[in-house]
Amino acid sequence: MGRPARTWKSATAPRPDERDTDHSGESPPGSLAALLPLPAEFLALASQLREWRQQASARRHRLVLVIAGAAAWTRGMAEAGLRDPPGTGVWLADGPLTRPHQPLAAGLKLLGRELDYLVYDAQAGFDPDSFGAATGALRGGGLLLILTPPLREWPDLPDPQARRITVEGYAPAHLGGRFVARLARILASQQGLTLIEEDKPAWLKAPPPRFSALMQSPSPACPAPADPGAIYRTPDQAEAVQAILHTARGRARRPLVIVSDRGRGKTAALGLAAGQLLAGGMARILVTAPRLAAVAPLFQHAAAGLKQGRIHADRIEFGQGEIRFLPPDALCQGAESADLLLVDEAAAIPAPLLERLLAAYPRLVFASTIHGYEGTGQGFEVRFRRSLERLTPNYRRLELQTPIRWAPNDPLEALVDRALLLDAAPAAAGDLTDANPDNCQHAQLDHDALASDETSLSQLFGLLVLAHYQTRPLDLRHLLDGPNIQVQVLRHRGQIAATALVAREGRFTPDLARDIYEGRRRPRGHLLPQTLSAHAGLEEAPLLSWARILRIAVHPAAQGRGLGRLLMGKIQDQARTDHQDLVGVSFGATRDLLRFWAACGLAPVHLGTSRNAASGAQAAIVLGALSATGEALAHRARERFGRRLPVQLSGPCRGLEPDLAATLLAMTAPASPPAGDEPDWRELAAFAFAQRPFEASYASLRALTEGYLGPALRQGDISLGQAIPLIALVLQQRDWGEVARLTGVTGRAEVIQLLREVTAGILGQHPAMRRGQDTIRSSGTQRHPG
């Protein structure tokens, strides 16, 4: 059977008031769609769906139908399937439709909701992030309709969603269709879903074989649906709530770590426990997560037990107590106290920021998804376990295993895990125990081959997920289809031991480079040359060719053996072969990362002036030269940054951690102090070796810090720790109490003593300084002991 002779017409466009208020995705009751006669195949689907939904509901599994064909036909089939709406649901689609719907991006807002049906209309594009988030909202027995173009044609069709991975200088034709081709292969072969194709009407006579086999297989052993009136949906959830209550009321410094796959009720458990604690008199519970929307279910479950509570989007007030949401970076400022801190989706928060929370709050609960839309609990535990064991060795780990929204062995969960590689795993640690630079082979992977090699793709993506806190499903599409992306790996006996994603950037025209420098244009992509031109004053940066390292990861079982530096060397060799001028990275600045990149030959040349809300860190850029032209720009960038850094630390970067500032000053300082006006050595000596007051010496101390602290750090004359009081007090102008806290002393007098000692350490390394020191000593003046 071919396409129907007549074209099915969907519902007329809703009235403006319906368009604003109907978010269900259903046709309004009594609409034209419910009255129109339907083609035979549409009627057949509507009849068959009733039977399939009953079977799926009996098993508490979610029913998945893929409807592939022309856009009008697939949407007509979906309308027919929803002729008897199965409850609350959403139709997600981009582009004009004549029925109520929400854009694909709205799928991200469905986290925490529960739906009876979902239509994911991919006729005008497929958004991996949206799909991963939205499908998690569908409850057991629910219906998912995925509408696609004909599967064989889909990879070759333009996809508006792909614009998110396009960059300046590359046409849509440069984008690969590998992600969609792989998805189409999975939809055509995945067990447990129903595929209905416009040009293959055999399903009219019998259910598709894969679905029939699933429905006839023995029902999985799973707990019965919980009593709707019960507080807890599973024994797992009840245990989690009790563990949270024990953490809140028990001994300090014993945090709880809760991990689970999606749909196991961990966020609800946080809310149920928080509500009980607030009702019991706890004064203040703080909640944090990457986004407020991620913890909406927490607040809903907390509010359910607080009938007299005052409910707001970001807080619940009950009596004199409250549950309040604050973003992670705000909490790390240290000004917010709490009886208990709940950290949800902890995998999506960087480990250094989590460590700061762990040090600041005595009672915490961390909750994380193992295989999920937002980060991964496996990566969270690998990255954060050492901090937990060092700072709070008595922490407790609890894993929730029983699904709440659906039964075990759910076909949709299996489909989403496979399609988006949410269950991707790196190579087994035992296969890499002896990996080292001498027995690893470098390769630049072919994108087409990678898309067809599920083992390598899973290892590679699993390693990226493990190493980075913000890996998302869209990143899978980016590495497969990005037009300027190279994928490089180190293999050990065929297993991936390390990987890096490298983007080609730059080579703009002079006119576009000028517009970028003057702030007139900001083309998509090309982060390094644009940032250094627009924000660091290097106007020629966009003219050069760049290799930007987007991600680099070494398997935890092979770290500390030089594989990262080996891979960096191979990346630089390849970039030189490709006639690129510079290699660079932008990343959330930490001392360890700065030292790693320095060991790879990359020097800092830029520091962002604001903190990233997710990472809590300020972005740094490091670069290395690959050509003579690149070396000229790199030299100018290093000198310019070295001159500007002390000024930045007194202004937009006043909040930078002093030890990190000291590391940057040491890395960017010239080999010798700059020529020009020198400090008053006599005044400095009087401060360091006698009793001259700090206020009277401030101008000379500032000149000393701006011009001589960096070289002293670089040469090892003083330590990073010794530099902290000079940086914090003189450059960043922090108050005495804060500087005392940073340096571990009790007050102003002790801070001044540290300032005198570090000033003396710097003075001893300069001839003019030594003359000032000798003059003070020959006068017989003694330093005041305080």
Side-chain angles (χ1 to χ4, degrees):
M1 174 186 282
R3 187 173 301 171
R6 58 179 176 148
T7 302
W8 184 87
K9 301 294 184 182
S10 62
T12 55
R15 299 187 305 273
D17 58 333
E18 293 173 340
R19 194 185 302 272
D20 291 340
T21 60
D22 183 357
H23 299 289
S24 68
E26 302 173 23
S27 296
S31 69
L32 180 60
L35 302 176
L36 287 172
L38 298 180
E41 56 196 334
F42 292 4
L43 288 170
L45 176 62
S47 174
Q48 186 69 67
L49 257 182
R50 283 191 288 272
E51 177 184 345
W52 290 345
R53 279 165 42 197
Q54 290 173 357
Q55 295 172 341
S57 295
R59 303 169 65 89
R60 293 186 59 229
H61 278 169
R62 295 173 293 176
L63 176 61
V64 184
L65 269 70
V66 178
I67 305 176
W73 184 83
T74 60
R75 289 167 181 161
M77 290 286 280
E79 291 272 15
L82 299 177
R83 195 173 177 86
D84 297 321
T88 301
V90 172
W91 187 308
L92 297 176
D94 282 346
L97 266 72
T98 57
R99 53 113 52 242
H101 69 283
Q102 298 184 46
L104 293 181
L108 299 172
K109 300 177 182 178
L110 296 179
L111 284 168
R113 288 185 56 184
E114 290 198 4
L115 304 176
D116 296 299
Y117 75 88
L118 171 68
V119 180
Y120 195 90
D121 188 339
Q123 290 285 357
F126 186 87
D127 178 350
D129 292 346
S130 166
F131 184 75
T135 52
L138 199 62
R139 61 169 63 99
L143 170 65
L144 171 64
L145 302 178
I146 305 174
L147 313 185
T148 76
L151 295 184
R152 290 186 301 275
E153 301 173 14
W154 193 11
D156 299 321
L157 298 176
D159 186 341
Q161 285 293 326
R163 67 182 181 277
R164 297 168 63 193
I165 61 172
T166 58
V167 295
E168 181 74 19
Y170 294 88
H174 293 121
L175 285 173
R178 304 174 192 90
F179 177 87
V180 169
R182 176 180 176 272
L183 177 60
R185 290 196 302 271
I186 290 172
L187 295 179
S189 63
Q190 180 74 10
Q191 292 296 316
L193 61 79
T194 303
L195 174 61
I196 297 175
E197 298 182 90
E198 183 178 8
D199 58 353
K200 296 179 181 178
W203 65 270
L204 284 166
K205 300 178 180 179
R210 281 180 283 139
F211 182 77
S212 298
L214 180 73
M215 290 296 102
Q216 294 167 9
S217 64
S219 180
C222 62
D227 179 354
I231 298 177
Y232 309 123
R233 303 282 293 277
T234 64
D236 272 1
Q237 190 177 64
E239 182 183 3
V241 171
Q242 293 305 312
I244 297 167
L245 297 178
H246 180 75
T247 300
R249 297 165 177 163
R251 298 175 62 180
R253 314 303 302 166
R254 296 193 174 192
L256 173 65
V257 177
I258 301 175
V259 297
S260 74
D261 277 328
R262 294 191 305 172
R264 271 64 177 175
K266 65 175 175 54
T267 301
L270 294 176
L272 291 168
Q276 292 182 36
L277 290 167
L278 198 62
M282 184 164 280
R284 195 167 199 234
I285 300 170
L286 291 180
V287 177
T288 194
R291 301 182 319 279
L292 174 60
V295 291
L298 186 156
F299 282 95
Q300 292 166 6
H301 283 84
L306 299 169
K307 301 302 182 184
Q308 304 302 315
R310 298 177 295 281
I311 313 301
H312 308 273
D314 64 344
R315 67 191 186 280
I316 298 174
E317 298 165 347
F318 183 81
Q320 300 301 310
E322 69 169 355
I323 304 170
R324 179 180 291 270
F325 173 85
L326 288 172
D329 58 328
L331 283 176
C332 285
Q333 304 306 314
E336 299 288 345
S337 61
D339 299 302
L340 176 68
L341 173 62
L342 305 176
V343 183
D344 201 8
E345 297 300 349
I349 301 173
L353 199 154
L354 292 174
E355 185 170 323
R356 290 163 64 184
L357 296 177
L358 188 62
Y361 292 91
R363 290 177 175 83
L364 299 93
V365 178
F366 297 99
S368 181
T369 306
I370 298 176
H371 300 133
Y373 164 72
E374 190 105 52
T376 147
Q378 292 179 350
F380 159 72
E381 291 200 86
V382 168
R383 293 189 300 268
F384 194 47
R385 184 185 299 125
R386 287 190 290 269
S387 297
L388 285 166
E389 292 174 346
R390 185 180 75 254
L391 296 174
T392 54
N394 293 317
Y395 79 95
R396 179 186 175 189
R397 181 186 185 275
L398 180 64
E399 181 172 346
L400 309 187
Q401 296 182 332
T402 307
I404 287 178
R405 295 183 184 172
W406 49 81
N409 304 317
D410 177 68
L412 177 55
E413 187 170 43
L415 170 64
V416 174
D417 285 351
R418 182 183 173 194
L420 303 183
L421 283 182
L422 296 185
D423 58 353
D431 293 335
L432 299 171
T433 53
D434 61 340
N436 62 69
D438 295 327
N439 60 22
C440 286
Q441 295 75 45
H442 170 260
Q444 180 170 311
L445 300 186
D446 176 79
H447 287 78
D448 292 324
L450 179 61
S452 301
D453 182 351
E454 285 293 313
T455 299
S456 293
L457 185 60
S458 179
Q459 284 191 8
L460 189 150
F461 198 66
L463 184 52
L464 291 173
V465 166
L466 198 67
H468 199 273
Y469 64 94
Q470 279 189 320
T471 304
R472 303 179 299 165
L474 181 65
D475 294 317
L476 176 61
R477 184 169 201 170
H478 194 197
L479 78 87
L480 289 176
D481 292 337
N484 64 330
I485 301 299
Q486 295 177 344
V487 181
Q488 303 199 29
V489 299
L490 294 178
R491 290 188 185 272
H492 176 67
R493 300 193 185 105
Q495 307 300 304
I496 295 178
T499 187
L501 304 184
V502 185
R504 297 182 296 274
E505 297 188 340
R507 285 185 177 164
F508 288 161
T509 65
D511 288 345
L512 181 52
R514 183 177 60 252
D515 286 346
I516 292 169
Y517 178 77
E518 294 176 353
R520 301 177 189 276
R521 289 192 59 186
R522 188 68 189 263
R524 184 181 292 272
H526 302 272
L527 175 70
L528 292 186
Q530 293 201 75
T531 300
L532 293 178
S533 174
H535 300 292
L538 300 169
E539 186 173 359
E540 70 274 30
L543 299 174
L544 278 62
S545 178
W546 297 72
R548 174 162 76 99
I549 300 165
L550 301 175
R551 300 280 175 89
I552 186 168
V554 177
H555 196 292
Q559 289 176 1
R561 303 176 200 165
L563 295 187
R565 291 191 295 276
L566 172 65
L567 183 55
M568 268 302 302
K570 298 296 185 181
I571 291 170
Q572 290 168 302
D573 291 343
Q574 182 63 51
R576 289 189 186 93
T577 300
D578 295 340
H579 304 292
Q580 293 178 295
D581 299 303
L582 296 137
V583 61
V585 195
S586 175
F587 58 97
T590 67
R591 290 170 59 190
D592 287 346
L593 286 177
L594 284 168
R595 287 167 177 162
F596 169 77
W597 292 119
C600 296
L602 277 63
V605 295
H606 179 70
L607 181 67
T609 57
S610 60
R611 292 183 183 272
N612 181 280
S615 71
Q618 291 178 230
I621 290 179
V622 297
L623 61 83
L626 302 171
S627 70
T629 305
E631 176 54 41
L633 183 137
H635 178 75
R636 194 160 82 86
R638 291 191 299 268
E639 285 197 336
R640 186 179 180 89
F641 182 56
R643 291 194 306 270
R644 297 173 66 161
L645 180 59
V647 179
Q648 285 183 290
L649 292 173
S650 298
C653 295
R654 282 184 61 191
L656 188 70
E657 294 82 353
D659 60 339
L660 183 55
T663 301
L664 286 167
L665 286 168
M667 289 181 170
T668 58
S672 57
D677 293 339
E678 292 191 342
D680 186 327
W681 306 123
R682 178 86 168 78
E683 185 171 79
L684 289 170
F687 173 76
F689 300 106
Q691 303 174 35
R692 186 170 177 83
F694 168 79
E695 289 77 10
S697 310
Y698 178 79
S700 291
L701 285 170
R702 185 172 184 89
L704 177 77
T705 305
E706 291 183 351
Y708 292 82
L709 178 60
L713 284 165
R714 187 184 187 113
Q715 295 164 11
D717 299 333
I718 61 171
S719 68
L720 292 177
Q722 286 180 295
I724 287 177
L726 271 179
I727 293 170
L729 197 64
V730 177
L731 286 185
Q732 297 181 316
Q733 301 174 20
R734 300 178 185 236
D735 63 56
W736 291 98
E738 186 176 4
V739 178
R741 180 181 60 80
L742 288 168
T743 53
V745 299
T746 58
R748 175 187 167 106
E750 290 86 350
V751 172
I752 289 181
Q753 176 66 20
L754 294 176
L755 287 170
R756 295 189 196 279
E757 290 173 0
V758 67
T759 302
I762 300 174
L763 284 175
Q765 305 305 316
H766 195 278
M769 301 178 191
R770 286 195 292 271
R771 287 194 295 274
Q773 171 184 340
D774 294 341
T775 301
I776 294 295
R777 286 178 172 170
S778 66
S779 69
T781 307
Q782 299 296 315
R783 183 196 296 176
H784 191 281

